[in-house]
């Protein structure tokens, strides 16, 4: 059953997952503008008896209620970063491989398309499934639609295992590193640079901060069989008032990516220890997520999909499931290095692989 | 003879030099807006037989032509930095000392007032005098009125000795340090900070630049009996694209103040040697000026004014005279630390001291 509202685009879920990706991408849904896309998804599922729908803002939850022993949550965000003359999408072929080019193809409407097609078609999966499509992933943490659902309706996120459809080149990437950002500051005394000895140069005083960063050797930490690479980096530095003034403040913006075996509190303590003696302000702190691949459900999923699981280095929303005590992995079509790129494009074979992998597992075939 | 043009303010040169300072300050003349002040100065001198006037833009030259053996150039700028609710001026008394408060009182209309009063009153000085009041000192080098005169009418700047009325607390400050600014850069490779090992961090690579600055011991150099203190400082630093991106460029803005015994080319070579291996771009280079206090004219001036000469650390327009082969000193009322300050104010006794010192010397009394 399709909506009769002529302002809502009609999605054809019987099309291939690559074609459905294109349909979804061509509904522009830059963060904050997801309503039309969510309306279209909701309308496309509205007549299906095996799904219970729940709308929250521009997030949509579709649940099976088959009384299975276990429940899996499969989620994806429907917003994209801003366009840069890369819509509408187009098909293209590079070195004999077929791609869909355009904003959102990688991050992450190909993943959403696979999920949406399987949600409609798999009327009797071997586990109960909670499908979630949500808004505002690409912007401020406080706006994140999955975070909002977790706060307002935590019962809708309950399950035994979670899969996030973020791009992973169609491979399973377990858990994710944690992410901390800190501002490390020095303070001096302003003076005219012709009489520098009257003041104290805050940029010179910051030299040990840069030395510590340059000398830092990041850890490689094995967690549940996956090796997570850490990183400690200056991602910005500011200081200076004018070309003839001794600066009285210097700020080094530091980003620490830490293995999921380390808690946020431990990560903060580590950063404070490295920059001991300097003012350290934590401006962002997100816990990592352990891969959870020891769970039988995850093992079964691994077998169905094939290939070898890898660690996820970037922080993703899997950490929200981890925080709820659920093992969670990333699995979706597209090369993460093409996410947000002006030439964002997804290989069609990866879309088909993900559809095949998820379908095989959920159908128990 | 005063101008009949009612749009030109009338300056009363028979008033005291402190009162004349106030008259001049209350004609707002932020750089680029000097015309009214220059018009008023020109009109106030227009009827005097002993002065030959020459106008160039908003600079005014007034010369005696008495056939003296030696000629002295005495100069001051009439522009100020922008206001900050500090006009009109007012008299105030702090701890029993009398001040004139307001924009331009120190930098440098008190000096201009002393010069202007003496230009009018000293009809037969013991040396020929070229009085110069000029525009655009507080802004870009390319706009500087004294520089423009030096380019377009170098014959008007000719003389045996020069005095610049910049604030020196009514003491003689000889010559000035040179001034160099350079941008020192590192380049890396941009990458997502979750996979830092794919990139190269330009801020980390800049650590040796900060170490070199922190470890640098500036020289103290004696030139003609005056000890010039040098300085090498970071006056700014920039780097960084976003909180999750490994930065591919870092720029440290460096300011080198060098003793007048070192040429600009030598200063540049010194900076390039210190930052060997990094990209160094010289963005500003102004030669210093030797004090020239060995000249008999300067010695005579020193005796008339009294006190001991000091080195000038900041760069001033005396370097333009030095570049023309003329010894030059700074001598003017006001504390240079109050220049550009929101509470800019000049001690009245310093204005009177400067008037007395210059008058005694020029009148040969």
């Amino acid at each position: 059953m399709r909506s009769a509202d002529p302002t809502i685009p009609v999605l054809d879920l019987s099309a291939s997952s690559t074609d459905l990706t294109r349909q979804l991408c061509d509904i522009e849904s830059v963060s904050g503008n997801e309503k039309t896309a969510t309306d279209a998804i909701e309308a496309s599922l509205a007549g299906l008896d095996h799904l219970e729908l729940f709308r929250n803002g521009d997030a949509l939850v579709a649940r099976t209620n088959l009384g299975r022993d276990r429940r899996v949550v499969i989620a994806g965000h429907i917003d994209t970063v801003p366009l840069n003359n890369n819509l509408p999408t187009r098909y293209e072929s590079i070195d004999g491989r077929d791609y869909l080019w355009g904003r959102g193809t990688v991050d992450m409407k190909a993943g959403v398309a696979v999920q949406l097609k399987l949600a409609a078609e798999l009327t009797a999966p071997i586990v109960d499934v909670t499908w979630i499509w949500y808004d505002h992933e690409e912007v401020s943490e406080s706006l994140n639609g999955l975070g909002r659902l977790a706060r307002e309706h935590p019962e809708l996120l309950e399950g035994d295992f979670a899969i996030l459809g973020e791009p992973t080149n169609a491979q399973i990437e377990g858990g994710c590193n944690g992410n901390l950002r800190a501002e490390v500051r020095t303070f001096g005394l302003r003076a005219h640079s012709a009489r520098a000895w009257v003041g104290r140069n805050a940029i010179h005083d910051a030299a040990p901060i840069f030395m510590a960063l340059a000398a830092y050797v990041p850890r490689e930490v094995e967690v549940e069989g996956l090796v997570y690479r850490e990183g400690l980096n200056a991602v910005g530095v500011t200081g200076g008032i004018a070309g003839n003034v001794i600066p009285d403040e210097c700020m080094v913006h530091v980003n620490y990516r830490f293995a999921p075996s380390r808690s946020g509190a431990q990560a903060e303590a580590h950063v404070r220890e490295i920059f001991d003696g300097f003012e350290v302000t934590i401006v962002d702190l997100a816990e990592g997520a352990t891969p959870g691949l020891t769970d039988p459900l995850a093992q079964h999923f691994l077998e169905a999909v094939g290939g070898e699981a890898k660690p996820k280095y970037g922080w993703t929303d899997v950490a929200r499931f981890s925080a709820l005590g659920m093992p969670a992995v990333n699995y979706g079509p597209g090369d993460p290095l093409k996410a947000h790129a002006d030439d964002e494009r997804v290989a069609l074979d990866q879309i088909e692989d993900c559809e095949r992998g998820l379908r095989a597992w959920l159908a128990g075939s």
Side-chain angles (χ1 to χ4, degrees), chain A residues 168-173 293 298-310 330-331 353-354 356-358 360-361:
Chain A
T168 61
N169 278 315
Q171 297 183 303
I172 295 175
E173 294 186 353
L293 295 174
Q299 287 294 322
H300 190 199
F301 176 52
L302 266 173
E303 283 158 26
V305 168
E308 201 170 333
K310 297 182 173 180
N330 306 274
Y331 177 66
D353 276 355
C354 282
R356 196 177 306 118
L358 274 173
W361 177 49

Side-chain angles (χ1 to χ4, degrees), chain A residues 61-84:
Chain A
V61 179
R63 293 159 50 101
T64 66
N65 292 299
L66 303 165
R68 307 292 193 226
D69 288 345
R70 322 260 347 233
R71 176 173 289 278
V72 171
V73 180
I74 303 178
H77 65 85
I78 54 177
D79 59 320
T80 71
V81 295
L83 309 190
N84 193 5

Side-chain angles (χ1 to χ4, degrees), chain A residues 46 61 90-91 101-102 107 215 222 248 267 289 313 358:
Chain A
V61 179
R90 62 168 185 260
Y91 287 111
W101 173 98
D107 192 7
E222 187 174 326
D248 58 352
Y313 297 127
L358 274 173

Side-chain angles (χ1 to χ4, degrees), chain A residues 40-268:
Chain A
I41 292 171
E42 184 176 12
S44 74
L45 299 176
L48 302 179
D49 290 338
H50 67 289
L51 293 175
E52 175 192 20
L53 300 188
F54 182 90
R55 175 93 175 228
N56 174 280
D58 287 329
L60 184 74
V61 179
R63 293 159 50 101
T64 66
N65 292 299
L66 303 165
R68 307 292 193 226
D69 288 345
R70 322 260 347 233
R71 176 173 289 278
V72 171
V73 180
I74 303 178
H77 65 85
I78 54 177
D79 59 320
T80 71
V81 295
L83 309 190
N84 193 5
N85 292 317
N86 48 5
L87 273 191
T89 54
R90 62 168 185 260
Y91 287 111
E92 61 182 21
S93 186
I94 299 174
D95 295 333
R97 193 173 188 186
D98 293 323
Y99 292 88
L100 179 65
W101 173 98
R103 176 62 77 231
T105 51
V106 168
D107 192 7
M108 56 165 279
K109 289 187 174 171
V112 168
V114 167
Q115 294 168 356
L116 184 56
K117 185 168 178 63
L118 294 179
E121 294 184 0
L122 296 177
T123 54
I126 58 166
V127 288
D128 268 313
V129 183
T130 301
W131 305 94
I132 302 179
W133 300 285
Y134 60 99
D135 53 292
H136 286 98
E137 193 271 346
E138 297 289 3
V139 288
S140 166
E141 152 67 22
S142 61
L143 297 174
N144 186 292
L146 192 62
R148 188 181 66 242
L149 280 173
R151 283 193 305 277
E152 299 180 3
H153 297 281
E155 73 283 0
L156 289 175
L157 270 61
E158 281 172 12
D160 302 293
F161 181 54
I163 299 170
L164 199 67
E166 290 278 0
T168 61
N169 278 315
Q171 297 183 303
I172 295 175
E173 294 186 353
C176 70
N177 271 331
N179 188 20
L180 177 153
R181 286 187 302 110
E183 293 177 350
V184 186
R185 280 190 173 76
T186 55
F187 299 95
L189 181 64
R190 213 179 276 205
H192 196 292
S193 68
R195 288 175 290 274
W197 52 90
V198 176
R200 180 170 178 90
N201 195 315
I203 296 177
H204 296 196
D205 284 355
I209 298 172
F210 300 106
M211 288 301 289
L213 286 164
Y216 187 84
V217 179
R219 303 188 309 164
E220 298 192 5
V221 185
E222 187 174 326
V223 182
E224 296 177 20
L226 301 184
V227 177
Y228 290 83
R229 289 183 76 164
E230 297 196 333
L232 180 71
N233 276 277
V235 288
V237 56
T238 56
I241 294 126
N244 61 353
V245 178
I246 300 300
D248 58 352
E249 185 171 341
C250 180
M251 188 278 280
V252 187
H253 186 184
V254 170
N255 184 212
Y256 179 40
R257 304 282 180 152
F258 55 97
S261 55
R262 191 165 253 181
S263 72
Q266 288 170 327
E268 176 177 342

